[in-house]
Amino acid sequence: MHVEALAIVCAVLGHGEHGAVVRLMTPEHGLLAGYVRGGRSRRLRPVLLPGNVVQAEFRARTEEQLAALTVELAQSRAPLHSEPLAAAAIDWATALTATALPEAQPYPRLHAALDGLLGAIEAAPVARGWAAALVRYELLMLSELGFGLDLSACVASGAREDLAYVSPKSGAAVSRTEGAPYAARLLPLPGFLIDGGGAEWDALFDGFRLTGHFLERDLLTGRQAGVLAARERLVARLKRMVG
């Protein structure tokens, strides 16, 4: 096994006295893990920050063996880790990626979306500039792993207009007319997930509520559920900011 790629740092776990097991998201090979000798050293700690892009080289004698990994910094997002909201968003997006994806399976759409999301966090002057991209990334993650929502038409009538809700059981869209009598039992469907573009905070929090329901129910279960704490911290900070 020999892979060279530009990759996004998603998770770093200390191993032994000085080393670290690092999970990177690559464009063609998906999530890959490798052992970095001296990964917790003063030199490599600022390189192995979640969200950074590194030039990575994995080498292993067999596919089953944990690869030896060497890295060189290609793009640093270290300054964002001193900004609480940006840091929380990066921590959640990369933790979700490292936890939910099977290793060594290609997900080029997810790699591109994660790279775009991190770029939006870096470029946007305020959190509302990247919050919609984060909700869409969660939605794409569900879809790529087989738990996609059907937001194309109303599950009850087949109508494609005025979709306002999602069934928490089926994950299918429901029109405003069909869903009105059951609104208290349905999840709001914010318009930006249908029409694209940005959104106001009420719609963004509806989006987080929607994707969070299905992430918790279908994807992050059992031992993986612990990663949801990073998401809860992020959403709580966003709500405090909005007031």
Side-chain angles (χ1 to χ4, degrees), residues 100-183:
L101 291 185
E103 290 187 7
Q105 299 294 321
Y107 291 97
R109 293 179 66 203
L110 280 173
H111 177 273
L114 178 59
D115 188 55
L117 169 60
L118 294 170
I121 295 170
E122 191 170 26
V126 293
R128 196 160 66 88
W130 50 255
L134 180 52
V135 175
R136 291 191 186 97
Y137 183 68
E138 294 177 342
L139 200 64
L140 179 63
M141 178 72 71
L142 287 163
S143 177
E144 290 285 290
L145 293 179
F147 301 102
L149 310 188
D150 182 0
L151 307 181
S152 61
C154 175
V155 67
S157 68
R160 295 181 178 273
E161 303 297 327
D162 203 23
L163 302 177
Y165 306 101
V166 174
S167 165
K169 292 184 179 180
S170 69
V174 182
S175 70
R176 193 176 308 278
T177 300
E178 296 290 340
Y182 316 100

Side-chain angles (χ1 to χ4, degrees), residues 201-212:
W201 279 113
D202 286 348
L204 290 167
F205 288 127
D206 282 343
F208 280 116
R209 180 184 171 195
L210 175 65
T211 52

